[in-house]
Amino acid sequence: MAPATTAGSRVLNKAGKPVAGAKVQVCLAGDPRPAKGDGRVRFDDWLAWGTDSAMTDAEGRWHIDNVPALPKVELSILVTHPDYVIEQRGTNAIKKAGAATLTFPDGSSALTLKSGVIVRGQVVDPDGKSIKDAVVVVGDDPYSG
């Protein structure tokens, strides 16, 4: 077993106010390997995912305690909240937020989310009849969301 360390940051809105209740999913970027491994052993990439995701508190802070204690570990995160926009999913999401690499075990970094809007509508066929159970795709790629 390799030693672990803590990583975390704050999630803020454009006004610099904390975002409480944001879901933070974290995975290892790259393919770091344990220092004393024989090359066949690797770390689990998914550090906080799905039901094990970190959540921000009232101050917008989140943290996880299972980050491999390596000299230079890179994390990829995805922050979601129903009131805010996700510009891009996966490893590039953090780059869109203004930082290419997350190496902040002290929790001093902050990510800023853009406010979103609620869109409501009705899906109809060419004759104006409602389409029951229609699937609405956001964006140009129906396979990404």
Side-chain angles (χ1 to χ4, degrees), residues 13-33:
N13 64 20
K14 284 271 199 181
K17 303 289 184 194
V19 176
K23 181 179 182 179
V24 182
Q25 299 180 85
V26 185
C27 67
L28 289 173
D31 191 20
R33 304 282 175 137

Side-chain angles (χ1 to χ4, degrees), residues 12-117:
L12 307 173
N13 64 20
K14 284 271 199 181
K17 303 289 184 194
V19 176
K23 181 179 182 179
V24 182
Q25 299 180 85
V26 185
C27 67
L28 289 173
D31 191 20
R33 304 282 175 137
K36 296 183 181 183
D38 63 2
R40 297 177 293 170
V41 178
R42 59 187 295 268
F43 294 109
D44 182 0
D45 292 342
W46 309 106
L47 302 177
W49 208 258
T51 58
D52 294 325
S53 296
M55 298 294 286
T56 57
D57 63 15
E59 294 298 315
R61 295 188 187 284
W62 66 271
H63 77 278
I64 57 174
D65 299 320
N66 60 338
V67 178
L70 300 173
K72 204 170 191 185
V73 65
E74 295 182 12
L75 304 177
S76 174
I77 72 167
L78 175 64
V79 180
T80 57
H81 189 283
D83 297 336
Y84 296 90
V85 175
I86 303 168
E87 287 188 25
Q88 192 165 353
R89 298 179 189 278
T91 56
N92 290 327
I94 187 61
K95 293 177 183 175
K96 290 281 187 180
T101 303
L102 295 178
T103 55
F104 46 85
D106 62 352
S108 62
S109 296
L111 300 168
T112 303
L113 299 180
K114 292 182 179 180
S115 295
V117 296

